[in-house]
Amino acid sequence: MTTRLIVETREIDPVDDLLAYADPDRPLAWLRRGDGIVAVGAPVQISIAVPAGRGPLRSAIIAEQWRELASAASVDDAVGLPGTGLVGFGALTFDEGSNADSVLIVPSMILGKSGGRGWITRIAPEGEELPADRPDATIDPTPYGPHWAGTVGPGAQTPEGHRDAVREAIRRIGAGEASKIVLARDLAGTVPAASDLRRLVRELSTGYPDTWAFAVDGLIGASPETLITVQDRTVTARVLAGTVGRGADAADDAAARAHLGSSPKDLDEHAYAVRSLLDSLAPHVSAVRSDETPFLLELPNLFHLATDVAGELSEGESSLDLVGAVHPTAAVAGTPTPAAMAAIREIEPFDRGRYAGPVGWIDADGNGEWAIALRCAQFEQGDGDIRVTAFAGGGIVAASDPDAELLETRVKFRPLVDALA
């Protein structure tokens, strides 16, 4: 029997630092330029987890479970902004066959801020008091813990191993198995026990304000790549594929821009990613439109080729349904997708878990914001130090160079490695 939730959202004065209210050990947050939503404290009301072994229907199972939960909920939303009302925070695996769990978490309380307005959402099962009506409830901020530093080094894939993997991908592409294969490598390490992980989220959020800074079930990062956004049935997405590191000065930046904008390898990689997204959206979205040529997206440490896509959502669909339809895109898997996924499983010496998978939120009407979990790491609490595994990757095409691809991963690791330090 589906749990019937009672949901109430009320406007409050905007909170300056939303993260100060999150759980230091397991923050639950979605932020961009200081706006966004965070779960207040540690209690979790509902956790929809689809474990390993459920096969290729994992994303569809979560979408259907959310539809049932949302349709049974009683929602009193006096604010009506994106992120208000009933909201679930989600992190799904990259590969449906992963050994990691895909999760969708509904917290007891959510604080939000957008466009100078603030709100609080309180959620409880029918028949129970809403949080903050209970005598033991609190919505006070929690002081940040002391600064900490983590250490990471090569994981299952060494730098030389990554070069070899790139060579193998190029061989397969030359043999006609695929046009593009996206390969990643990992870093592994630890951070001290009882570290306040909100500090990492805040560092990423302030250092990379144009990305989506997220924390969901131990997955923490700052993604520049929107997978799907749905608001009032309008669908938007941004494709990023093709990357170059920024230079040391304005002249170097100009040279990097010129190289990326004229590079056949990067332009081909980007075109594959755009076509993959458009093909996946077509059965679910009408009036799809996209930029004819990519633009250059500037981040603090690199440039990306970017293309924006928009359309109108079909009746009965939700942002989670679209996530299941479009993931994995060519930007994180390759082209054609089945062949690229098969190559990734054979070439990479690790399970990506939720890296490069969908991360974001969904509301009771199916609206939501979903990014691809990039520039991120998975944190695993234990009895001692907290284990951390970070990932970075790049698209391999026929013209790829193993040394250049390794350098690209180092550039992409930098935001997280710097924040950990």
Side-chain angles (χ1 to χ4, degrees):
M1 181 176 178
T2 301
T3 301
R4 179 173 166 80
L5 296 177
I6 307 301
V7 185
E8 181 183 276
T9 299
R10 294 291 182 265
E11 189 153 3
I12 60 173
D13 291 335
V15 173
D16 287 337
D17 183 7
L18 291 171
L19 275 173
Y21 293 80
D23 179 11
D25 296 324
R26 298 195 73 83
L28 198 57
W30 179 263
L31 301 166
R32 188 170 185 267
R33 291 195 169 277
D35 285 356
I37 49 178
V38 302
V40 178
V44 172
Q45 200 64 261
I46 298 287
S47 181
I48 299 173
V50 181
R54 295 303 293 271
L57 298 178
R58 201 184 299 195
S59 58
I61 291 170
I62 283 193
E64 186 56 34
Q65 289 179 335
W66 176 256
R67 208 177 336 266
E68 293 176 5
L69 186 71
S71 64
S74 175
V75 180
D76 178 5
D77 181 3
V79 181
L81 292 174
T84 61
L86 177 63
V87 168
F89 293 78
L92 281 59
T93 58
F94 166 75
D95 191 335
E96 296 277 15
S98 170
N99 289 320
D101 292 347
S102 293
V103 298
L104 194 62
I105 300 170
V106 180
S108 300
M109 284 193 289
I110 302 171
L111 283 180
K113 182 173 65 171
S114 178
R117 297 176 66 186
W119 65 87
I120 182 170
T121 297
R122 302 178 297 164
I123 303 170
E126 187 177 36
E128 296 184 13
E129 286 187 312
L130 287 169
D133 287 340
R134 299 193 307 260
D136 63 339
T138 177
I139 55 171
D140 294 328
T142 301
Y144 285 94
H147 288 276
W148 51 267
T151 57
V152 292
Q157 182 67 292
T158 65
E160 186 53 44
H162 187 68
R163 292 190 188 95
D164 290 341
V166 171
R167 294 185 187 102
E168 173 60 14
I170 294 171
R171 184 195 69 77
R172 293 183 182 221
I173 291 167
E177 294 181 25
S179 300
K180 173 186 173 183
I181 301 170
V182 180
L183 292 181
R185 69 183 182 100
D186 61 327
L187 297 177
T190 60
V191 302
S195 293
D196 188 339
L197 296 181
R198 297 175 303 172
R199 285 196 173 277
L200 176 61
V201 184
R202 187 168 69 167
E203 182 73 18
L204 292 170
S205 179
T206 56
Y208 298 85
D210 288 321
T211 65
W212 297 112
F214 57 86
V216 181
D217 197 40
L219 182 70
I220 298 176
S223 178
E225 185 156 0
T226 305
L227 181 60
I228 286 291
T229 297
V230 178
Q231 185 61 38
D232 299 329
R233 313 212 66 77
T234 295
V235 178
T236 56
R238 173 168 288 180
V239 178
L240 302 184
T243 305
V244 68
R246 298 204 43 183
D249 53 34
D252 286 345
D253 266 0
R257 283 175 173 271
H259 169 77
L260 184 60
S262 61
S263 163
K265 178 262 183 188
D266 290 292
L267 290 169
D268 284 349
E269 178 186 343
H270 189 81
Y272 290 138
V274 173
R275 176 46 52 194
S276 171
L277 178 64
L278 292 175
D279 289 346
S280 299
L281 281 177
H284 308 274
V285 176
S286 62
V288 182
R289 53 197 179 276
S290 66
D291 303 330
E292 290 186 4
T293 57
F295 64 92
L296 284 174
L297 178 67
E298 178 179 325
L299 296 176
N301 63 321
L302 47 78
F303 296 114
H304 283 301
L305 291 176
T307 293
D308 286 333
V309 176
E312 298 300 318
L313 187 64
S314 301
E315 283 297 326
E317 303 271 13
S318 74
S319 61
L320 258 176
D321 292 313
L322 291 189
V323 164
V326 305
H327 176 78
T329 67
V332 292
T335 305
T337 300
M341 291 292 290
I344 290 168
R345 294 180 188 121
E346 294 172 5
I347 295 173
E348 290 182 352
F350 49 75
D351 182 339
R352 290 188 182 185
R354 298 163 182 164
Y355 163 70
V359 61
W361 62 266
I362 185 171
D363 72 10
D365 294 323
N367 298 312
E369 293 175 329
W370 295 87
I372 298 174
L374 305 174
R375 320 295 193 269
C376 64
Q378 182 71 49
F379 292 78
E380 301 290 345
Q381 302 279 353
D383 295 333
D385 288 343
I386 302 168
R387 298 186 303 276
V388 55
T389 307
F391 300 90
I396 313 305
V397 294
S400 291
D401 173 74
D403 290 330
E405 295 299 333
L406 180 64
L407 177 60
E408 181 174 327
T409 64
R410 287 173 176 160
V411 171
K412 290 176 176 177
F413 271 128
R414 201 182 90 189
L416 195 70
V417 171
D418 287 353
L420 285 170

